[in-house]
Amino acid sequence: VTKQLRRNISETALFVRQCLSKPEQMGAIAPSSRGLAKAMARWVSADPKAVVLELGPGTGSITEALIARGLTGHRLLAIEKSPELAISLQKRFPGVRVITGDAWDLENLMDLHVEPGHHVGAVISSLPLRRFKPEATESLARKIKAILRPGGCWVQYSYHLGSDRPLGTSYFHLLSSNVVWLNLPPARVSVYQKPLSEPSSN
Ligand SMILES: C[S@@+](CC[C@H](N)C(=O)[O-])C[C@H]1O[C@@H](n2cnc3c(N)ncnc32)[C@H](O)[C@@H]1O
């Protein structure tokens, strides 16, 4: 219990330091709660050939829930922009492939890190989407759609509790959208599914 408590304190301290130095990039006031992490992680695919991509893992609350869902190292890829957070995450979860990189560089990172024969079954994102310019969000949505397998899910949380959808998510079906109240602050988990087939253009 003491070890766990010490780890929670040091992760929260790291999170707060990052929030103070990079408020726009962090876009949050506290690490995700266990309830939020579970609500995000339940959407991962059971397919052993499917890689799960985590964007903006931060201190790793959601990474931990993904591991608890049975995701072994090679199936979980985490992309974190902050080098300090990425180093801390890699220490905490040596089996997970943590990449220090930018989510907008998705295609290149996928080419480098997803083995042939595997595909991306789900994208689990903690990125503070509403802090970015709408055009940036739209371009990220296109990139996520390009790397996800048909029928795969993009799971995104937001502190914006309204039901309006960020730009770019219209390329997906809205599969689910629920508020997790036990989080600081409460958060809405939205699940966007890539269509199984594209509507024909004629
Ligand atoms: C809301 S915080 C994540 C909180 C996380 N769920 C936790 O419990 O610690 C957002 C995270 O996204 C990361 N981030 C922001 N912009 C990014 C980008 N362009 N590429 C990758 N990660 C990014 C931030 O560094 C931060 O760790």
Side-chain angles (χ1 to χ4, degrees), residues 142-201:
R142 284 180 189 271
K143 288 169 195 275
I144 291 176
K145 185 157 174 263
I147 55 122
L148 255 185
R149 71 162 171 81
C153 290
W154 166 19
V155 187
Q156 175 73 49
Y157 77 74
S158 168
Y159 300 126
H160 174 86
L161 299 187
S163 55
D164 50 313
R165 294 172 58 168
L167 210 62
T169 58
S170 55
Y171 306 128
F172 297 79
H173 297 307
L174 182 64
L175 203 59
S176 164
S177 185
N178 284 306
V179 175
V180 174
W181 294 101
L182 287 179
N183 192 67
L184 189 67
R188 178 177 285 281
V189 175
S190 301
V191 183
Y192 304 109
Q193 185 179 38
K194 176 171 169 170
L196 280 168
S197 59
E198 293 298 333
S200 79
S201 48

Side-chain angles (χ1 to χ4, degrees), residues 5 8 13 24-25 27 39 42 60 101 127 130 163:
L5 188 66
N8 285 350
E24 285 306 307
Q25 187 176 310
R42 63 185 278 257
L127 295 176
R130 290 182 191 259
S163 55

Side-chain angles (χ1 to χ4, degrees), residues 30-192:
S32 309
S33 68
R34 272 175 196 253
L36 175 57
K38 267 176 105 171
M40 300 281 285
R42 63 185 278 257
W43 294 96
V44 299
S45 155
D47 173 1
K49 288 270 177 202
V51 169
V52 171
L53 183 65
E54 191 184 358
L55 301 178
T59 50
S61 319
I62 295 171
T63 318
E64 186 174 30
L66 291 169
I67 294 169
R69 294 278 302 177
L71 283 174
T72 54
H74 76 283
R75 280 197 57 208
L76 180 56
L77 204 63
I79 301 179
E80 172 54 58
K81 192 169 179 184
S82 154
E84 296 92 332
L85 287 169
I87 290 168
S88 157
L89 196 68
Q90 190 67 86
K91 259 199 214 146
R92 182 173 168 196
F93 304 113
V96 173
R97 287 185 299 163
V98 180
I99 299 164
T100 307
D102 191 326
W104 272 263
D105 198 19
L106 212 51
E107 291 108 324
N108 290 334
L109 294 173
M110 291 301 94
D111 284 350
L112 284 173
H113 298 282
V114 176
E115 285 125 44
H118 284 71
H119 50 259
V120 179
V123 172
I124 309 290
S125 167
S126 297
L127 295 176
L129 276 198
R130 290 182 191 259
R131 295 279 181 123
F132 303 126
K133 290 201 172 110
E135 315 84 73
T137 305
E138 169 147 29
S139 95
L140 181 71
R142 284 180 189 271
K143 288 169 195 275
I144 291 176
K145 185 157 174 263
I147 55 122
L148 255 185
R149 71 162 171 81
C153 290
W154 166 19
V155 187
Q156 175 73 49
Y157 77 74
S158 168
Y159 300 126
H160 174 86
L161 299 187
S163 55
D164 50 313
R165 294 172 58 168
L167 210 62
T169 58
S170 55
Y171 306 128
F172 297 79
H173 297 307
L174 182 64
L175 203 59
S176 164
S177 185
N178 284 306
V179 175
V180 174
W181 294 101
L182 287 179
N183 192 67
L184 189 67
R188 178 177 285 281
V189 175
S190 301
V191 183
Y192 304 109

